[in-house]
Amino acid sequence: ASLVKKETRATALASKKKASSAKLAVLRAARRKEIVKRTAKYYKQYEAADKEEIRLHREAKANGNYYVPAEAKLAFVIRLRGVNNIPPKPRKIMKLMRLRQINNG
């Protein structure tokens, strides 16, 4: 009797698992499509930015000027606090930025 119960429970669980995995596969496929769309959008933006950069360069050259492309933003950070009572994430960020001692920059 208990073996029959075990088999019925196992089949019920297997069917539930199959249904949930099918549902997950559908969700995963939808998410994947969304990611691909987003990637295409970003690619389009990057391409437009590159074209704009080239256009500005050519425009400046045509007018007899120079075009200086934008540089990366830079931040200078100085450590003012010790490591005590700092949560783990900010502490890890400090470590990655090589700010292990107070007054390091």
Side-chain angles (χ1 to χ4, degrees):
S2 63
L3 188 64
V4 175
K5 283 182 182 177
K6 184 179 178 183
E7 284 177 355
T8 54
R9 188 172 56 238
T11 55
L13 281 173
S15 64
K16 273 186 181 178
K17 190 174 181 181
K18 195 172 187 180
S20 68
S21 67
K23 205 180 281 185
L24 269 175
V26 169
L27 282 172
R28 212 176 281 127
R31 204 173 289 142
R32 192 83 207 140
K33 275 186 181 178
E34 193 178 304
I35 289 170
V36 168
K37 275 185 193 174
R38 205 177 309 140
T39 305
K41 188 180 83 174
Y42 288 140
Y43 184 76
K44 210 176 205 179
Q45 283 179 349
Y46 296 144
E47 211 169 48
D50 288 344
K51 283 182 180 178
E52 179 68 12
E53 196 85 10
I54 292 167
R55 187 190 67 76
L56 289 171
H57 188 79
R58 287 179 180 162
E59 189 179 303
K61 194 174 183 182
N63 293 335
N65 294 327
Y66 294 103
Y67 175 70
V68 180
E71 291 181 9
K73 291 185 172 82
L74 184 72
F76 184 69
V77 183
I78 298 176
R79 174 120 184 212
L80 296 176
R81 260 182 83 179
V83 77
N84 292 346
N85 298 327
I86 293 184
K89 266 214 171 114
R91 189 182 304 164
K92 179 67 176 178
I93 292 168
M94 296 289 196
K95 196 174 181 183
L96 291 171
M97 295 176 114
R98 298 182 188 162
L99 299 173
R100 293 179 186 183
Q101 294 178 335
I102 297 177
N103 298 327
N104 266 13

